[in-house]
Amino acid sequence: MGKSAKIVILTGAGISAESGLGTFRDEGGLWAQHRIEDVATPEGFACNPDLVHRFYNARRAQAAEARPNAAHQALARLQAEHAGEVVIVTQNVDGLHEAGGAQHVLHMHGTLAGALCAACGHGWTAPLEMQTDQPCPACAAPAARPDVVWFGEIPYFMEEIFAHLAAADVFAAIGTSGEVYPAAAFVDEAHLAGAHTVELNLEPSATASRFAERRFGRASETVPAWVTELLG
Ligand code: APR
């Protein structure tokens, strides 16, 4: 890999697993405890906003207690020490990449730290506990929701992400099951751009066969080793 190679990284819940935050599809994961349609769709929010706020309030409180692990810190080191551009795109809504020192992280599924007005689209920093009927600071409508991208909604930063993938020399997917699109197709875009593709995951993801290289193990071990190799 050239010294100024552009590296684009996609992360999923698996990178935060060792920080104590649950993943979605592992044994006992979040989607084993809650129905996606109840807590992660606009329809679910419209039907029972209290349930949705309770779900995200619990995740916000848990994320507030979590600390970045060696994988988050290794990616921040890569950004700081690699001569070329290192872009981190995450599906995660926790702030552990930033807490680990990463910059300009693209949260394509939004963040627990963000609140959004379902009426006017105004965004603000979410309180630790969000309630239903919370008035929007801009339009006063009682329509506050978490600024998290739900199933059926358009992820953030898609144009910017596809531009990064089209210019990538290396694309890595870390801690994601490859079950959710459009993120699961990023490997194909990167491959089309001629990038070297590598998956770092606890076990083969649904898209494992589409990567040129696969490294299995816990992110807190595989990611620092990979970064040390890249920084040669
Ligand atoms: N180290 C590395 N990988 C791990 C670890 C670990 N310690 N623990 C779990 N994993 C892997 C699992 O093997 C799995 O492949 O992380 C992946 C987690 O997959 P999911 O739970 O499906 O999480 P993710 O891929 O981020 O989900 C994508 O789905 O529900 C939506 O919006 C939600 O952003 C989420 C999206």
Side-chain angles (χ1 to χ4, degrees), residues 11-19 22-26 29-31 36 40 56 59 69 71 90-93 108-109 148-151 174-181 183 199-206 215-223:
T11 64
I15 199 169
S16 297
E18 291 164 88
S19 296
T23 62
F24 295 96
R25 294 173 182 82
D26 287 326
L30 285 166
W31 297 149
I36 286 179
Y56 285 97
R59 293 181 63 199
N69 63 57
T90 187
Q91 299 172 93
N92 300 339
V93 292
M108 62 181 287
H109 289 169
V148 168
V149 178
W150 286 327
F151 286 90
I174 302 173
T176 181
S177 59
E179 299 277 356
V180 176
Y181 286 79
E199 170 173 273
L200 294 97
N201 211 50
L202 195 59
E203 59 202 14
S205 74
R215 297 182 180 213
F216 298 128
R218 292 204 308 270
S220 65
E221 290 160 17
T222 60
V223 178

Side-chain angles (χ1 to χ4, degrees), residues 27-121:
E27 189 69 30
L30 285 166
W31 297 149
Q33 304 160 41
H34 307 272
R35 285 165 18 111
I36 286 179
E37 49 272 34
D38 291 344
V39 295
T41 62
E43 297 76 17
F45 182 69
C47 175
N48 189 343
D50 285 338
L51 174 66
V52 174
H53 278 307
R54 280 202 303 276
F55 175 67
Y56 285 97
N57 288 344
R59 293 181 63 199
R60 201 173 288 111
Q62 208 193 19
E65 297 300 312
R67 295 288 165 266
N69 63 57
H72 298 107
Q73 288 158 347
L75 293 187
R77 183 159 67 89
L78 183 64
Q79 273 190 325
E81 296 178 18
H82 178 59
E85 190 183 7
V86 178
V87 179
I88 298 173
V89 179
T90 187
Q91 299 172 93
N92 300 339
V93 292
D94 63 60
L96 292 178
H97 279 300
E98 293 84 350
Q103 311 275 329
H104 318 303
V105 178
L106 297 175
H107 283 269
M108 62 181 287
H109 289 169
T111 63
L112 288 171
L116 185 67
C117 176
C120 76

